[in-house]
Amino acid sequence: MKKIKVFAPASVTNVGSGFDVMGFAIEKPGDEIVLKMTDEPGIKITKITGDGGKLSKDPYKNTAGLSLISLVEHLEYKKGIEIELHKKMALGSGLGSSAASAVASVYAFNELLGKPLAKKELIQFALEGEKLTCGGTPHADNVAACLMGGFVIVRSLSPIDVVNIDYPPNLYCTIVHPHLEIITANTRKILRKHILLSDAVKQWGNVAGLVAGLVSGNYELIGNSLQDFIVEPVRSILIPNFYEVKNAALKAGAVGCSISGSGPSIFAFSKSKNSAEKVGDAMKKVLNGIGIGNDLYISKINKTGPRIISD
Ligand code: HSE
């Protein structure tokens, strides 16, 4: 029986101004998956840990299962697969938890088969699973960032076109995760369906500025360009003391700060590890002050995405 264990990382998406089109992977946390090939046909989820009993073991209702089903059908694989999913990050955290499970699953299976598909080709299958969580409006930013590693731009969903871009080597990310669960599908429903052209102009100026700042290593431009005129003002209402946390991060020296994905996690960029730690202390202090439990992660951008832990 062939078996593999894979880790797939959390990801920060939107990155301020780039709603649904920008993202990057971080070093930890992340999910782990064990896949076993069996002779009995069919995909079974045999074990899930770390989800507090919230995830379904029905492969059609689980992001890891559904992604794998779509890949298995595409490859016309006729034998069976057993999945063990070990959630190592909170659900509804804004850190791409469902995307990490979906990516871990398709990446692991592709490795087991000796890599019939290139990494980029796996995005479409991971996205099939991710669709379970998006409330009918698919977005590939978490899946692409988790799978490709580094900093990604989702230029197009149809056809899928994902581009990796450069970023300053010393760019550090601080993330605080307030202990609240936010359901992505709900936070997508509350967004405005129509926006003013004048807001759109400001927003795409910032997206372009963010890309230019990252590629040229211009931290001032990165910080200025993180400003989000469209999504952050709406979603910030769901995160207690969001603007206090953001202001504390900026005052402590962060290059910029915004919501990670659909929240409630909040990320900030810094120019060094030392600065990222100071920023983390300042962000935590605000949440601790209002009695909201939280986790802190400090990470460089994860260049590689998923990796094999053992086979
Ligand atoms: N871009 C997505 C959103 C990420 O903000 O809704 C959440 O998974």
Side-chain angles (χ1 to χ4, degrees):
M1 183 162 48
K2 277 174 89 180
K3 184 175 161 185
I4 194 168
K5 187 172 185 183
V6 157
F7 165 88
S11 48
V12 170
T13 50
N14 301 337
V15 199
S17 46
F19 178 67
D20 276 3
V21 299
M22 301 278 292
F24 60 90
I26 55 174
E27 285 159 358
K28 60 177 185 186
D31 283 349
E32 290 173 11
I33 207 160
V34 180
L35 288 196
K36 282 182 206 163
M37 287 172 149
T38 60
D39 289 331
E40 193 188 327
I43 293 172
K44 282 191 195 128
I45 301 179
T46 54
K47 190 174 184 181
I48 304 179
T49 63
D51 68 325
K54 289 181 184 166
L55 296 180
S56 175
K57 278 194 187 160
D58 176 345
Y60 285 91
K61 294 182 182 158
N62 179 295
T63 53
L66 193 55
S67 309
L68 192 57
I69 289 168
S70 70
L71 179 57
V72 161
E73 283 173 358
H74 173 79
L75 294 174
E76 297 180 358
Y77 182 76
K78 301 291 179 220
K79 291 190 176 176
I81 307 152
E82 287 180 5
I83 305 175
E84 268 181 32
L85 177 60
H86 301 288
K87 297 296 298 176
K88 303 275 178 173
M89 62 172 131
L91 310 179
S93 60
L95 293 173
S97 169
S98 58
S101 299
V103 164
S105 162
V106 296
Y107 180 85
F109 187 61
N110 195 50
E111 291 289 321
L112 270 180
L113 290 191
K115 297 192 200 174
L117 297 181
K119 242 182 170 189
K120 239 182 205 177
E121 293 176 292
L122 296 174
I123 293 175
Q124 58 181 305
F125 303 104
L127 197 52
E128 283 306 308
E130 177 78 332
K131 279 181 187 165
L132 281 176
T133 64
C134 67
T137 49
H139 51 92
D141 46 0
N142 285 108
V143 157
C146 174
L147 185 59
M148 302 308 296
F151 223 110
V152 298
I153 299 172
V154 182
R155 191 203 61 80
S156 155
L157 259 187
S158 177
I160 292 174
D161 185 10
V162 170
V163 184
N164 272 92
I165 57 166
D166 283 344
Y167 50 88
N170 285 330
L171 184 65
Y172 273 84
C173 180
T174 304
I175 295 164
V176 282
H177 167 225
H179 293 167
L180 314 162
E181 187 176 346
I182 286 189
I183 309 293
T184 297
N186 296 343
T187 66
R188 294 179 77 80
K189 278 186 207 139
I190 63 170
L191 298 177
R192 282 173 288 161
K193 300 287 171 289
H194 301 278
I195 55 170
L196 289 174
L197 183 60
S198 54
D199 281 344
V201 170
K202 289 194 282 185
Q203 192 86 355
W204 57 54
N206 274 347
V207 176
L210 180 56
V211 174
L214 286 163
V215 169
S216 64
N218 181 336
Y219 285 106
E220 196 183 348
L221 183 56
I222 294 171
N224 290 339
S225 306
L226 283 185
Q227 206 182 344
D228 171 11
F229 297 98
I230 295 167
V231 177
E232 185 186 284
V234 181
R235 286 181 170 168
S236 55
I237 296 161
L238 304 172
I239 306 171
N241 288 30
F242 169 75
Y243 286 105
E244 283 79 355
V245 176
K246 178 170 173 164
N247 290 335
L250 296 174
K251 209 170 152 204
V255 167
C257 176
S258 190
I259 301 170
S260 173
S262 56
S265 290
I266 304 167
F267 80 95
F269 281 142
S270 293
K271 295 181 205 174
S272 69
K273 190 171 183 200
N274 185 33
S275 171
E277 284 167 353
K278 281 190 189 143
V279 166
D281 288 346
M283 293 167 88
K284 267 186 95 66
K285 204 170 161 192
V286 176
L287 292 173
N288 292 345
I290 53 168
I292 297 202
N294 56 84
D295 296 315
L296 176 69
Y297 303 104
I298 292 177
S299 174
K300 278 192 138 179
I301 310 290
N302 175 336
K303 280 187 194 161
T304 46
R307 63 172 196 275
I308 299 170
I309 306 174
S310 61
D311 43 18

